[in-house]
Amino acid sequence: MSVSEMFIALQGVLTADQDIREEIRKVVQALEQTAREILTVLQGVHQGSGFQDIPNKCQKAREHFGTVKTHLTSLKTKFPADQYYRFHEHWRFVLQRLVFLAAFVIYLETETLVTREAVTEILGIEADREKGFHLDIEDYLSGVLTLASELARLAVNSVTAGDYSRPLRISVFINELDSGFRLLNLKNDSLRKRYDGLKYDVKKIEEVVYDLSIRGLNKAATGGAGEEK
Amino acid sequence: MSGKEGGFRKRKHDSFPHGHRREEKDSINFSSSVMTSFRIFQLELDTRHDKYERLVKLSRDITIESKRTIFLLHRITNASNVEEILTESEVKLDLVRQKIKQVAQELMGEDVYQYHRAISPGLQEYVEAVSFQYFIKTRSLISLEDVNRQLIFTEDNKEEEKKLSSDSPSKQKNTWNIKVTPVDYLLGVADLTGELMRMCINSVGNGDIDTPFELSQFLCQIYDGFSYIGNTGPYEVSKKLYTLKQSLAKVENACYTLKVRGSEIPKHMLADVFSSKTEIIDQEDGLS
């Protein structure tokens, strides 16, 4: 084979690679669009009136996850199944976003941390790498960290809306999450950076709890919480 | 937990003078489902990071040994020691391939691309070494297929025969292989051109007049190839194009000098003219 023939062959491979990436980008864009729509729905819970409406909003968000599933199914077909990590960078970000959204919905519904298996079920993908298009553990953890920031905000806004018990529950939840993350030996990568942000979320929530308890508002809240539920 | 982590914890406590945190910490149930799953994550992440580190280490070993092979090949000064050095380099490259075999074993059943960044520098260096040796032997460019063919490993015992006898599609359990990606191959070949440039200058110094012209032609072909790919490839490839162009210019200038001065200066003095000429070129590079 002559040198020029070799390079022509290589060029062919590179072009094919570009084409695949182009296809993937298209689907990822659609996914990002849907993710933004879900986020818009869920943002409603931060407003005063939104607090009564949480189940409704979750229901709406869950409908959108149907679209997410469709997009992800089509994404799977765009590249060879055993080359997930070759193109991982393309959907990594949006997948983290979707994990966050799913985790937020689950939190609002049950006040528990979504498991990795549950997320993959909501998104219609696999939990294990061997089975196909899966959720990378780092992406899952990243999404969960975004949830922490969102909950810090929710704690503040629920006080504004007159719900004094929610920040206490969020505080317990986030502390457990924090202890969980402490178990991990993170490398000096992007996940580590995200994790370093967690302490500010913890701090914010503790400030809210502090403000409530110093004024005795948390006592009143525990009484009131029963009625609300 | 690492020392770093400890420092972080301390800092954190400093910013919380009130005692809430302690109380809440104690209330956490360490056997809760969250903690249990995080313990699983811990294991998973550690396994992944360990594997990655092992691969980085292997990759580094591959790089070092490949570099040594390249230096060894540069020691070819005249026809008499070619055979000897080629044999020695073959032994060295076999050692490198043993390392690559370990990489392949490590990546068994994994998604190669997940750990690609760990091993890619080593593989590029290996391509550089193996293509350099191939060039010295055959005066042509080794193809990606040929590189990959050498990276199919079978268990050392009986199966060795099978490997020799055929490319039988019946894959045995004890077969590992690793494929150099086209991009790694291209980057390796781009680095090869730097070595060829050196070889060109060296060979003039050794009074070898034909090699520079052969090299110039060969580099030209490679340059054409890279130009054909242009910037359709990834960023790293286009970046190498610039260095390649410089190497090519050096070789072309060398050939020019040889042609012009070659007719008037006796062979043994040509080397001196040359070494001063290359110095000038190198200085120019330093400025740009």
Side-chain angles (χ1 to χ4, degrees), chain B residues 37-73:
Chain B
S37 44
F38 269 88
R39 237 167 241 128
I40 296 170
F41 299 155
Q42 179 193 45
L43 197 70
E44 209 174 317
L45 280 174
D46 285 352
T47 319
R48 179 186 283 198
H49 292 159
D50 289 350
K51 195 183 258 300
Y52 191 89
E53 288 307 321
R54 281 198 301 275
L55 286 168
V56 169
K57 204 160 164 274
L58 280 172
S59 166
R60 227 173 268 151
D61 290 347
I62 293 170
T63 309
I64 292 167
E65 277 309 309
S66 301
K67 275 215 163 86
R68 286 187 184 147
T69 314
I70 292 168
F71 278 120
L72 174 73
L73 288 167

Side-chain angles (χ1 to χ4, degrees), chain A residues 25 64 117 130 216-217 219:
Chain A
R25 263 193 284 270
H64 281 294
E117 290 70 24
E130 281 84 5
L217 290 171
K219 299 272 159 22

Side-chain angles (χ1 to χ4, degrees), chain A residues 1-4 6-11 13-15 18 81-87 89 92 113 115-116 129-130 134 136-138 140-141 144 168 171-173 175-189 191-192 195-196 198-200 202-204 206-207 209-210 213 218, chain B residues 1-2 4-5 8-9 11-13 15-16 18 20-21 24-25 27-30 32-35 37-46 48-49 52-53 109-115 117 141-145 182-183 185-186 189 218 221-222 224-226 228-234 237:
Chain A
M1 221 199 313
S2 79
V3 172
S4 66
M6 281 183 212
F7 276 92
I8 289 171
L10 286 168
Q11 156 73 18
V13 175
L14 290 176
T15 316
Q18 296 275 336
D82 57 348
Q83 299 185 355
Y84 180 90
Y85 284 98
R86 183 168 163 197
F87 305 105
E89 289 302 318
R92 176 157 218 179
L113 177 66
T115 60
R116 187 159 45 145
R129 187 182 64 83
E130 281 84 5
H134 67 290
D136 188 89
I137 179 169
E138 293 183 31
Y140 165 73
L141 292 172
V144 169
L168 302 180
S171 174
V172 172
F173 176 80
N175 272 317
E176 187 171 20
L177 201 61
D178 189 37
S179 326
F181 270 100
R182 272 160 199 271
L183 283 179
L184 307 180
N185 306 308
L186 297 176
K187 287 217 302 186
N188 211 358
D189 55 7
L191 185 59
R192 171 68 198 254
Y195 164 67
D196 285 346
L198 180 61
K199 61 175 178 281
Y200 298 110
V202 175
K203 186 178 171 203
K204 185 78 218 161
E206 288 189 348
E207 274 168 7
V209 171
Y210 173 72
S213 50
N218 56 343
Chain B
M1 227 177 236
S2 71
K4 242 186 199 166
E5 212 87 0
F8 163 43
R9 196 171 190 159
R11 267 208 312 284
K12 198 162 189 177
H13 273 287
S15 56
F16 293 101
H18 44 88
H20 269 281
R21 188 179 184 81
E24 271 152 10
K25 272 264 117 72
S27 72
I28 285 165
N29 182 358
F30 278 88
S32 71
S33 67
V34 172
M35 294 309 272
S37 44
F38 269 88
R39 237 167 241 128
I40 296 170
F41 299 155
Q42 179 193 45
L43 197 70
E44 209 174 317
L45 280 174
D46 285 352
R48 179 186 283 198
H49 292 159
Y52 191 89
E53 288 307 321
E110 298 281 349
D111 184 335
V112 181
Y113 289 97
Q114 188 176 357
Y115 299 97
R117 258 201 293 189
L141 183 63
I142 191 166
S143 70
L144 177 57
E145 288 73 23
V183 173
Y185 170 76
L186 277 175
V189 170
F218 182 66
Q221 286 176 14
I222 293 185
D224 288 350
F226 272 95
Y228 179 71
I229 284 173
N231 49 11
T232 51
V237 176

Side-chain angles (χ1 to χ4, degrees), chain A residues 29-209:
Chain A
Q29 257 171 22
L31 266 176
E32 277 166 351
Q33 178 60 36
T34 316
R36 276 196 297 273
E37 282 163 17
I38 300 174
L39 187 63
T40 317
V41 171
L42 290 177
Q43 288 296 314
V45 302
H46 289 292
Q47 284 149 20
S49 57
F51 278 91
Q52 288 83 46
D53 220 16
I54 285 177
N56 199 355
K57 292 210 156 49
C58 290
Q59 192 49 46
K60 259 196 199 154
R62 274 188 181 267
E63 282 161 22
H64 281 294
F65 274 110
T67 325
V68 170
K69 269 188 189 173
T70 329
H71 287 320
L72 281 172
T73 315
S74 106
L75 183 57
K76 278 178 226 176
T77 63
K78 302 293 181 203
F79 65 97
D82 57 348
Q83 299 185 355
Y84 180 90
Y85 284 98
R86 183 168 163 197
F87 305 105
H88 186 200
E89 289 302 318
H90 289 288
W91 55 73
R92 176 157 218 179
F93 181 75
V94 73
L95 213 51
Q96 290 174 3
R97 192 111 210 118
L98 289 167
V99 169
F100 153 63
L101 293 168
F104 197 27
V105 169
I106 297 287
Y107 181 80
L108 290 172
E109 282 172 356
T110 63
E111 303 208 347
T112 54
L113 177 66
V114 70
T115 60
R116 187 159 45 145
E117 290 70 24
V119 179
T120 53
E121 212 185 303
I122 293 173
L123 300 179
I125 57 180
E126 303 292 339
D128 289 327
R129 187 182 64 83
E130 281 84 5
K131 289 190 188 143
F133 194 97
H134 67 290
L135 175 61
D136 188 89
I137 179 169
E138 293 183 31
D139 292 339
Y140 165 73
L141 292 172
S142 260
V144 169
L145 285 171
T146 315
L147 173 69
S149 314
E150 192 68 16
L151 290 183
R153 196 177 152 215
L154 188 68
V156 173
N157 286 328
S158 54
V159 173
T160 315
D163 181 350
Y164 297 146
S165 66
R166 190 181 282 276
L168 302 180
R169 299 198 303 273
I170 290 179
S171 174
V172 172
F173 176 80
I174 214 110
N175 272 317
E176 187 171 20
L177 201 61
D178 189 37
S179 326
F181 270 100
R182 272 160 199 271
L183 283 179
L184 307 180
N185 306 308
L186 297 176
K187 287 217 302 186
N188 211 358
D189 55 7
S190 66
L191 185 59
R192 171 68 198 254
K193 274 185 206 117
R194 301 288 299 275
Y195 164 67
D196 285 346
L198 180 61
K199 61 175 178 281
Y200 298 110
D201 301 326
V202 175
K203 186 178 171 203
K204 185 78 218 161
I205 293 167
E206 288 189 348
E207 274 168 7
V208 172
V209 171

Side-chain angles (χ1 to χ4, degrees), chain B residues 144-204:
Chain B
L144 177 57
E145 288 73 23
D146 287 337
V147 173
N148 282 334
R149 209 164 294 143
Q150 289 180 317
L151 297 181
I152 299 169
F153 305 99
T154 35
E155 197 56 41
D156 282 339
N157 41 40
K158 287 181 268 176
E159 318 237 329
E160 194 82 350
E161 295 150 30
K162 241 176 231 167
K163 183 188 167 192
L164 292 174
S165 62
S166 67
D167 303 316
S168 61
S170 61
K171 282 261 152 75
Q172 290 290 317
K173 243 190 195 168
N174 298 337
T175 310
W176 300 275
N177 78 322
I178 190 157
K179 283 206 171 77
V180 174
T181 64
V183 173
D184 283 342
Y185 170 76
L186 277 175
L187 293 172
V189 170
D191 288 339
L192 165 73
T193 58
E195 301 306 327
L196 294 179
M197 183 268 291
R198 273 209 227 165
M199 186 181 165
C200 169
I201 307 297
N202 285 342
S203 60
V204 185

